[in-house]
């Protein structure tokens, strides 16, 4: 589990295809590797990866084909910057929101609107994810916990403060660039619970219309 508060801007140093459609990723991150051990979890652009080896400030991680297909990690090349965060520790402050590191889909940056103290950035998202995104709700973009400022049919906007622009990859993203998206897991649980409730009501023959009992 993560919080979406980026600890370090790392760098991809190696992308090596392995058996099947998977790959071995090498990432430089002196801070996140300072106490990392084999088996630890580190989020790379919002994707939870398991540390295989650590040496000289670089950790390696196996990336399955499913992860490469469901995220933007497959587009990374040596030299690319990445957002890094170690798994949250029990008892630590939750500065962002609960982030699993399980990417729900890939979005696309569609516009940037600079202002004096912040920048409004708009992203297109997969249609299947739009129902989970609400104004003032939380969303994770490339591992960064952000508050949704506005929502459209297939897009949403966030406001980025100078610190976020400087210390994460979002400051350098251009129009058309892909980003990893993780919606608020609480929204998915609520949807599942309400769906089961309706299903149970239908199974009992109880009307789910106004005046009925659900």
């Amino acid at each position: 589990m993560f919080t979406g508060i980026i600890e370090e801007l790392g760098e991809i140093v190696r992308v090596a295809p392995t058996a099947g459609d998977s790959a071995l990723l090498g990432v430089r991150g002196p801070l996140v590797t300072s106490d990392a051990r084999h088996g630890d979890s580190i989020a790379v652009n919002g994707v939870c990866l398991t540390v295989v080896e650590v040496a000289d400030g670089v950790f390696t991680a196996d990336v399955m084909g499913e992860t490469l297909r469901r995220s933007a990690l497959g587009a990374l090349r040596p030299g690319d910057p990445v957002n890094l965060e170690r798994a949250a520790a029990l008892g630590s402050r939750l500065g962002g929101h609960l982030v699993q590191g399980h990417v729900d889909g890939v979005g696309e940056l569609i516009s940037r609107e600079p202002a004096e103290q912040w920048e409004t950035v708009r992203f297109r998202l997969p249609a299947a994810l739009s129902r989970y995104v609400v104004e003032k709700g939380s969303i994770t973009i490339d591992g960064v916990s952000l508050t949704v400022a506005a929502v459209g049919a297939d897009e949403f906007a966030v406001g980025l403060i100078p610190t976020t622009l400087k210390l994460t990859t979002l400051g350098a993203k251009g129009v058309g660039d892909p980003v990893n998206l993780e919606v608020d897991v609480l929204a998915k649980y609520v949807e599942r619970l309400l769906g089961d409730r309706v299903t149970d009501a239908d199974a009992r023959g109880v009307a789910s219309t106004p005046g009925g009992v659900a």
Side-chain angles (χ1 to χ4, degrees):
M1 191 68 72
F2 305 90
T3 69
I5 304 299
I6 301 306
E7 296 186 274
E8 181 177 20
L9 196 58
E11 179 187 2
I12 298 296
V13 297
R14 180 188 180 197
V15 180
T18 54
D21 56 355
S22 58
L24 187 68
L25 206 63
V27 186
R28 179 174 290 111
L31 175 60
V32 300
T33 58
S34 61
D35 60 353
R37 297 174 299 176
H38 174 81
D40 285 351
S41 295
I42 296 178
V44 178
N45 279 358
V47 181
C48 178
L49 298 179
T50 300
V51 174
V52 176
E53 294 180 349
V54 182
D56 299 323
V58 174
F59 73 92
T60 58
D62 289 309
V63 185
M64 303 295 291
E66 174 71 4
T67 302
L68 295 174
R69 290 188 293 272
R70 293 287 296 271
S71 74
L73 290 189
L76 293 175
R77 297 292 181 267
D80 286 345
V82 286
N83 298 320
L84 301 177
E85 181 191 355
R86 288 169 290 188
L90 289 176
S92 61
R93 289 184 175 90
L94 182 60
H97 72 284
L98 294 177
V99 177
Q100 294 183 294
H102 302 161
V103 172
D104 293 302
V106 177
E108 178 187 354
L109 195 155
I110 56 178
S111 72
R112 305 190 72 114
E113 300 173 18
E116 185 175 351
Q117 296 295 330
W118 65 86
E119 189 168 338
T120 300
V121 185
R122 291 185 175 274
F123 297 89
R124 182 172 292 111
L125 77 165
L129 299 182
S130 62
R131 65 182 180 273
Y132 302 115
V133 182
V134 298
E135 187 174 339
K136 306 306 179 186
S138 296
I139 192 166
T140 308
I141 304 176
D142 270 357
V144 184
S145 172
L146 294 165
T147 300
V148 177
V151 181
D154 63 348
E155 64 182 59
F156 68 95
V158 296
L160 303 182
I161 62 175
T163 297
T164 304
L165 292 169
K166 179 181 179 180
L167 300 180
T168 76
T169 60
L170 298 183
K173 290 282 185 180
V175 173
D177 283 347
V179 292
N180 294 319
L181 299 177
E182 181 184 332
V183 299
D184 191 347
V185 67
L186 296 179
K188 293 190 286 185
Y189 279 126
V190 169
E191 179 186 57
R192 177 60 183 268
L193 289 169
L194 290 178
D196 289 345
R197 184 180 180 187
V198 171
T199 300
D200 291 343
D202 289 342
R204 296 195 307 268
V206 177
S208 56
T209 57
V213 180

